């Protein structure tokens, strides 16, 4: 089901790409996703546009609703969310500015960024997915997206990620780090073309460990030391050994 | 009367020699019983709780920055297994099975991947190689080759060991697959060891020297030639793609071959004298009547039999396919890789009328396959979880290299880290893919000549000599029961350290003359 949804989503994006006029180039695309314990997220976008550009961007999002849409900074952006054929789009109208390159910012809240209940398959972890498809710009010079986990959580496993490194041996495009007491993963890419997809599937879980397992293993170790102490007494050193 | 006694003694000696050389009595699939030394008994006793302690320490500490909890779990499981493989509180194959369970239950790697390891090409190559090795034993071809080798070169332990160095050096440029070289020479090693009184059930120091020296030779002679292993070629392609520096076959050979030959000769000299000293009784063949008795035994075998010729033909076909792999596409339109070539040989071996052995006669040590599968699962999980890359990156970071750091200090660090890192890897390819980009990045970041660090680092790729889990030949040779994990560590680490010294001296002299180092 998830696969079918993804295919449908990508098909829709292809149609969107072919129908829309695109903005020539974007110097910087930076997205920060600040995840909450309840599955919500506050998303912040910062885009550095070339001189004199205006545009209407339609950014597809994989969520049911965007709330608290808010521009950041002095630019008079017009923001709204729009549903087209089952997919939600964040529409950003950017007025022309005669000044040089400028950075615009906006933020919004998503209530269903991830499923807050853990899955048994992921060892009580939560599945987290990030997607970005460039349907608006001819090229993006520098792309980065940072996902920040709630306090007390840590990344368990990084599953699929796109794009794959072109060269054998090259490091993957993501980096795990810490911002204060919160864990982050940052995807960094350069020169994204029109239609390029960035994806990351991962799981995260609570930092706590099972002390019951630790206690059990300690008991096993102690039992071994007691019941197998005859190892030290048994056996004689045969000639020719141990030299 | 005296003649009759002599004849009886001679018959007795011949019978004893027959028994000694009968490899069907020393099957690899039967795990040899070995009495542990006092040190080994302490290691067994303390190794088990130590492994658990290491696991708990790594698994329960706060997850370090840059690492996932699955990567942390894999590191903890692998470290525990490493302690147990070394100390052997439980048999090595049991440790492998425990590792596989631990990887799944701790969330380090998923079950499908863990179980799938038993189907990877290395395991198949091992199984097929043991089938091929069985035909050399069954037909007595191995015994004939070994007797010839000993009669010509094996009157003393030193010359017998030296003969194997020459043999492995000759095979290295011809057959890149180290497992293939191991399997080809293993039956000969077993017979020669038996002649010197070392069998799987009762190994002596000659056997330890012979098998460990061959382990060394099979692995590090691959480093003498650019085509000696796939990992070498990957290293060259990484150097080219990440730094634009091209390395040619002769560049590699002129630089690396002298280093491995010198190290091998040092190992040959110090092995039987200092590392695993031979007793006086172990320096000569353990055969009443000495070389003459062996000569008589060879004469008794008569002319080469039809089945021996058939075995040689089948083995020859497989070797031919191994040696000519680069021409396959031109000749056949497709590539027959090492596993498929061995499988073709195994199929012929089992064919009714044409073949030589039946399934029950194939001596396949399945415990070894489980041991290998566990080791590979651990290694692959380290790679896939990103834990290996994280650990190596942090290790280089620990040395705080800056632009002001002396080139030679960086050189020694790079060589030492690359050399010793083989202990926690189970695949040369994986190690190359992880290590080489880091070495190249270090060189580029601190403005050192890339080739001066990356090429000597690449020369260490095939030095996988300290543990039975580090490479296919190690796993196969370990199955003979001729040496312990501790013997392997002692021998391997000393030779690896000698290798670092030789590579450092070469860097300051020979590599500089060749224009590799500044």
């Amino acid at each position: 089901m998830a696969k079918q949804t993804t295919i449908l989503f990508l098909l829709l994006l292809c149609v969107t790409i072919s129908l829309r006029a695109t903005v020539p180039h974007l110097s910087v695309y930076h997205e920060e996703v600040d995840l909450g314990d309840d599955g919500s997220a506050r998303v912040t976008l910062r885009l550095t546009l070339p001189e004199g550009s205006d545009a209407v961007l339609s950014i597809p999002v994989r969520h049911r609703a965007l709330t608290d849409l808010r521009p950041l900074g002095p630019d008079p952006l017009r923001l709204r969310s729009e549903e087209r054929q089952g997919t939600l789009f964040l529409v950003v109208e950017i007025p022309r500015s005669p000044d040089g390159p400028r950075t615009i910012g906006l933020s919004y809240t998503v209530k269903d960024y991830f499923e807050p209940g853990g899955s048994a398959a992921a060892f009580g972890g939560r599945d987290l997915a990030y997607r970005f498809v460039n349907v608006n710009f001819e090229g993006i010079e520098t792309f980065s997206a940072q996902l920040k986990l709630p306090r007390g959580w840590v990344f368990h496993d990084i599953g699929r990620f796109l794009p794959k490194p072109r060269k054998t041996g090259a490091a993957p495009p993501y980096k795990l780090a810490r911002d204060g007491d919160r864990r982050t993963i940052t995807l960094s890419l350069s020169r994204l073309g029109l239609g390029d997809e960035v994806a990351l599937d991962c799981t995260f879980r609570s930092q706590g460990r099972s002390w019951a397992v630790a206690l059990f293993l300690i008991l096993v170790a102690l039992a071994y030391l007691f019941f197998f102490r005859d190892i030290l007494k048994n056996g004689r050193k045969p000639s020719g050994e141990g030299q | 009367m005296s003649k009759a006694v002599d004849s009886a003694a001679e018959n007795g000696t011949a019978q004893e020699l027959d028994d000694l050389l009968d490899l069907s009595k020393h099957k690899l699939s039967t795990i040899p019983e070995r009495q542990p030394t006092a040190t080994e008994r302490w290691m067994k006793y303390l190794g088990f709780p130590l492994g658990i302690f290491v696991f708990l320490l790594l698994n329960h500490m706060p997850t370090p920055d840059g690492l996932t909890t699955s990567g942390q779990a894999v590191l903890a499981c692998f470290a525990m297994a490493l302690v147990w493989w070394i100390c052997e509180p439980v048999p090595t194959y049991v440790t492998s099975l425990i590792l596989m369970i631990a990887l799944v239950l701790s969330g380090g790697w998923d079950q499908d991947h863990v179980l799938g390891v038993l189907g990877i090409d290395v395991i198949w190559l091992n199984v097929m190689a043991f089938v091929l090795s069985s035909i050399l034993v069954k037909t007595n071809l191995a015994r004939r080759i070994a007797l010839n080798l000993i009669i010509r070169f094996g009157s003393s332990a030193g010359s017998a060991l030296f003969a194997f160095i020459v043999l492995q050096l000759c095979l290295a440029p011809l057959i890149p697959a180290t497992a293939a070289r191991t399997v080809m020479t293993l039956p000969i090693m077993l017979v020669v060891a038996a002649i010197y009184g070392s069998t799987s059930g009762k190994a002596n120091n000659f056997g330890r020297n012979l098998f460990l020296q061959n382990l060394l030779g099979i692995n590090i002679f691959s480093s003498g030639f650019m085509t000696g292993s796939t990992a070498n070629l990957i290293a060259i392609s990484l150097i080219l793609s990440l730094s634009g520096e091209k390395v040619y076959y002769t560049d590699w050979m002129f630089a690396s071959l002298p280093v491995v030959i010198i190290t091998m000769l040092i190992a040959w000299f110090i092995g039987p004298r200092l590392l695993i000293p031979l007793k006086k009784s172990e320096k000569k063949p353990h055969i009443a009547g000495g070389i003459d008795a062996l000569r008589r035994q060879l004469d008794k075998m008569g002319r080469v039999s039809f089945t021996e010729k058939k075995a040689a033909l089948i083995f020859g076909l497989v070797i031919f396919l191994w040696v000519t792999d680069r021409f396959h596409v031109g000749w056949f339109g497709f590539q027959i890789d090492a596993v498929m070539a061995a499988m073709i040989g195994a199929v012929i071996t089992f064919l009714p009328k044409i073949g030589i052995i039946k399934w029950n006669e194939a001596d396949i040590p399945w415990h070894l396959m489980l041991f290998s599968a566990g080791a590979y699962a651990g290694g692959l999980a380290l790679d896939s979880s990103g834990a290996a890359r994280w650990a190596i990156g942090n290790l280089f970071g620990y040395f705080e290299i800056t632009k002001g750091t002396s080139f030679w200090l960086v050189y020694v660090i790079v060589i030492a880290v690359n050399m010793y890192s083989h202990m926690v890897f189970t695949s040369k390819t994986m190690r190359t893919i992880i290590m080489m980009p880091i070495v190249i990045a270090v060189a580029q970041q601190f403005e050192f000549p890339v080739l001066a660090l990356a090429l000597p680092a690449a020369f260490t790729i095939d030095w996988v000599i300290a543990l039975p889990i580090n490479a296919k030949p190690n796993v196969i040779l370990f199955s003979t029961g001729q040496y312990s994990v501790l013997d392997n560590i002692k021998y391997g680490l000393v030779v690896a350290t000698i290798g670092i010294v030789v590579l450092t001296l070469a860097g300051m002299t020979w590599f500089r003359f060749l224009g590799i180092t500044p």
Side-chain angles (χ1 to χ4, degrees):
Chain A
M1 185 62 193
K3 203 180 221 177
Q4 287 165 336
T5 315
T6 308
I7 292 168
L8 202 68
F9 180 72
L10 290 173
L11 274 174
L12 186 70
L13 292 180
C14 293
V15 173
T16 317
I17 292 166
S18 58
L19 292 177
R20 282 192 52 77
T22 56
V23 175
H25 258 87
L26 194 65
S27 314
V28 178
Y29 179 101
H30 179 68
E31 185 173 350
E32 271 180 37
V33 182
D34 193 335
L35 299 158
D37 285 309
D38 56 355
S40 68
R42 183 76 192 161
V43 181
T44 305
L45 283 182
R46 286 184 197 283
L47 287 71
T48 304
L49 298 156
E51 189 179 336
S53 56
D54 63 339
V56 179
L57 308 177
S58 286
I59 302 169
V61 286
R62 301 170 72 239
H63 311 289
R64 269 171 277 169
L66 309 181
T67 57
D68 197 15
L69 267 165
R70 210 184 292 169
L72 303 171
D75 284 279
L77 305 176
R78 293 179 64 186
L79 307 170
R80 66 177 186 279
S81 59
E82 225 176 73
E83 192 175 322
R84 298 177 202 153
Q85 296 173 12
T87 299
L88 194 67
F89 283 82
L90 165 65
V91 181
V92 186
E93 288 182 33
I94 308 165
R96 179 178 287 274
S97 162
D99 301 334
R102 64 199 163 126
T103 299
I104 60 151
L106 61 100
S107 71
Y108 58 88
T109 300
V110 178
K111 280 192 178 157
D112 58 343
Y113 207 96
F114 66 92
E115 191 63 50
S119 85
F123 293 85
R126 276 76 170 144
D127 293 324
L128 181 64
Y130 174 81
R131 295 284 182 280
F132 171 81
V133 183
N134 177 20
V135 295
N136 288 287
F137 311 101
E138 268 183 17
I140 300 173
E141 275 306 304
T142 308
F143 172 93
S144 60
Q146 186 187 67
L147 307 179
K148 193 187 278 187
L149 294 184
R151 241 168 233 102
W153 294 81
V154 60
F155 286 99
H156 171 62
D157 181 39
I158 311 300
R160 191 177 80 108
F161 61 86
L162 284 176
K164 294 280 176 203
R166 287 192 187 97
K167 289 174 180 170
T168 310
Y174 63 82
K175 194 174 178 190
L176 294 161
R178 190 198 292 258
D179 183 1
D181 56 354
R182 297 175 64 183
R183 306 284 177 148
T184 63
I185 186 166
T186 307
L187 278 156
S188 302
L189 296 153
S190 55
R191 289 187 290 281
L192 278 188
L194 186 64
D196 281 355
E197 186 190 2
V198 180
L200 178 83
D201 291 333
C202 57
T203 53
F204 63 98
R205 63 193 263 190
S206 160
Q207 239 168 3
R209 298 286 192 280
S210 165
W211 289 103
V213 172
L215 188 66
F216 171 74
L217 290 175
I218 289 167
L219 288 175
V220 168
L222 291 174
Y224 177 89
L225 286 175
F226 181 75
F227 290 109
F228 285 75
R229 61 190 188 280
D230 57 325
I231 288 176
L232 295 174
K233 295 170 193 161
N234 277 356
R236 287 180 301 279
K237 190 175 154 182
S239 59
E241 282 236 341
Q243 294 178 53
Chain B
M1 179 68 186
S2 163
K3 246 183 190 176
V5 169
D6 281 353
S7 169
E10 200 168 280
N11 283 341
T13 306
Q15 183 58 44
E16 189 187 308
L17 189 56
D18 268 343
D19 285 348
L20 200 60
L21 300 183
D22 185 0
L23 291 182
S24 63
K25 290 181 180 162
H26 315 291
K27 279 185 172 252
L28 298 174
S29 49
T30 310
I31 301 171
E33 288 285 333
R34 214 173 57 82
Q35 283 294 329
T37 62
T39 314
E40 286 169 346
R41 283 202 299 274
W42 272 104
M43 286 174 69
K44 265 178 197 287
Y45 184 62
L46 297 176
F48 188 81
L50 181 65
I52 288 178
F53 174 73
V54 168
F55 172 81
L56 289 176
L57 188 73
L58 293 176
N59 194 55
H60 280 62
M61 70 180 185
T63 310
D65 294 351
L67 192 64
T68 58
T69 49
S70 69
Q72 185 181 8
V74 172
L75 271 180
C77 295
F78 193 81
M80 178 185 73
L82 205 57
V83 171
W84 286 358
W85 278 321
I86 292 168
C87 298
E88 282 191 85
V90 290
T92 49
Y93 56 92
V94 176
T95 298
S96 283
L97 292 175
I98 293 172
L99 171 60
M100 292 164 97
I101 295 168
L103 284 174
V104 175
L105 296 188
S106 65
W109 216 27
D110 65 83
Q111 185 172 320
D112 287 349
H113 278 111
V114 169
L115 298 182
V117 173
L118 202 57
I120 63 173
D121 57 351
V122 174
I123 305 288
W124 275 100
L125 182 61
N126 280 349
V127 173
M128 294 304 127
F130 279 113
V131 170
L132 290 172
S133 176
S134 301
I135 65 172
L136 293 189
V137 174
K138 165 84 189 299
T139 60
N140 281 329
L141 189 58
R143 183 198 288 209
R144 186 184 295 279
I145 296 169
L147 284 172
N148 269 303
L149 191 82
I150 288 290
I151 288 165
R152 280 177 175 73
F153 309 105
S155 56
S156 72
S159 57
L161 291 172
F162 189 79
F164 273 97
I165 292 182
V166 177
L167 181 67
Q168 298 296 1
L169 177 59
C170 294
L171 291 175
L174 298 175
I175 306 168
T178 48
R181 265 182 269 148
T182 314
V183 169
M184 274 179 69
T185 48
L186 177 65
I188 305 168
M189 283 180 229
L190 286 169
V191 179
V192 172
I195 289 170
Y196 275 82
S198 186
T199 56
S200 56
K202 198 181 169 191
N204 65 21
N205 284 357
F206 176 83
R208 290 188 185 97
N209 270 292
L210 177 70
F211 280 81
L212 288 168
Q213 185 199 275
N214 272 288
L215 177 150
L216 185 65
I218 291 165
N219 284 312
I220 76 166
F221 279 137
S222 294
S223 175
F225 307 93
M226 200 167 92
T227 50
S229 75
T230 313
N232 295 356
L233 296 171
I234 292 172
I236 293 305
S237 100
L238 283 171
I239 292 173
L240 180 65
S241 66
L242 298 177
S243 74
E245 301 268 11
K246 187 157 176 60
V247 179
Y248 293 93
Y249 186 93
T250 44
D251 296 336
W252 181 294
M253 192 178 75
F254 289 152
S256 184
L257 191 56
V259 171
V260 291
I261 290 176
I262 289 169
T263 311
M264 202 66 223
L265 290 175
I266 294 172
W268 168 75
F269 184 80
I270 65 167
R273 290 171 180 83
L274 299 172
L275 297 180
I276 305 170
L278 294 184
K279 289 179 192 163
K280 203 176 173 188
S281 61
E282 291 164 346
K283 290 180 181 169
K284 293 280 173 197
H286 272 214
I287 304 291
I291 294 291
D292 285 340
L294 294 173
R295 197 170 280 123
R296 279 197 297 277
Q297 181 73 12
L298 184 62
D299 292 341
K300 203 176 113 188
M301 286 181 78
R303 294 168 68 85
V304 180
S305 69
F306 177 65
T307 50
E308 280 178 86
K309 284 178 187 164
K310 210 155 64 169
L313 202 67
I314 294 170
F315 220 90
L317 171 72
V318 176
I319 291 169
F320 176 75
L321 290 174
W322 281 337
V323 173
T324 58
D325 56 356
R326 73 199 70 180
F327 306 114
H328 290 174
V329 176
W331 292 346
F332 314 123
F334 51 84
Q335 169 86 38
I336 304 172
D337 84 348
V339 186
M340 287 299 128
M343 208 178 265
I344 290 168
V347 166
I348 300 171
T349 296
F350 287 127
L351 281 180
K353 294 195 178 177
I354 300 168
I356 294 171
I357 54 170
K358 292 197 172 82
W359 179 256
N360 288 344
E361 293 166 310
D363 186 15
I364 304 170
W366 285 104
H367 63 282
L368 191 65
M369 302 307 146
L370 294 181
F371 168 52
S372 306
Y376 278 107
L380 292 170
L382 277 175
D383 180 45
S384 117
S385 65
R389 189 182 290 274
W390 173 85
I392 297 295
N394 274 279
L395 189 60
F396 272 109
Y398 174 78
F399 292 110
E400 295 178 353
I401 298 168
T402 63
K403 280 183 186 170
T405 312
S406 143
F407 168 79
W408 290 110
L409 179 62
V410 179
Y411 180 93
V412 173
I413 291 170
V414 165
I415 297 295
V417 169
N418 272 274
M419 184 70 89
Y420 292 129
S421 70
H422 81 263
M423 289 193 74
V424 291
F425 282 92
T426 54
S427 156
K428 283 185 285 191
T429 307
M430 197 196 304
R431 181 159 142 257
T432 308
I433 289 172
I434 290 172
M435 300 293 291
M436 290 310 293
I438 294 174
V439 171
I440 293 167
V442 166
Q444 286 171 335
Q445 190 179 346
F446 302 110
E447 296 172 8
F448 296 120
V450 171
L451 215 55
L453 290 178
L455 194 56
F459 293 157
T460 66
I461 289 166
D462 297 307
W463 293 60
V464 280
I465 51 180
L467 280 172
I469 57 161
N470 295 144
K472 285 165 270 183
N474 308 20
V475 178
I476 296 170
L477 293 175
F478 183 65
S479 72
T480 60
Q482 293 270 355
Y483 58 89
S484 66
V485 179
L486 206 58
D487 292 328
N488 196 164
I489 294 175
K490 185 169 75 173
Y491 196 93
L493 280 185
V494 170
V495 176
T497 308
I498 291 169
I500 294 169
V501 173
V502 175
L503 271 168
T504 305
L505 293 175
M508 291 170 170
T509 54
W510 180 233
F511 293 172
R512 190 179 267 178
F513 173 74
L514 294 173
I516 296 169
T517 49

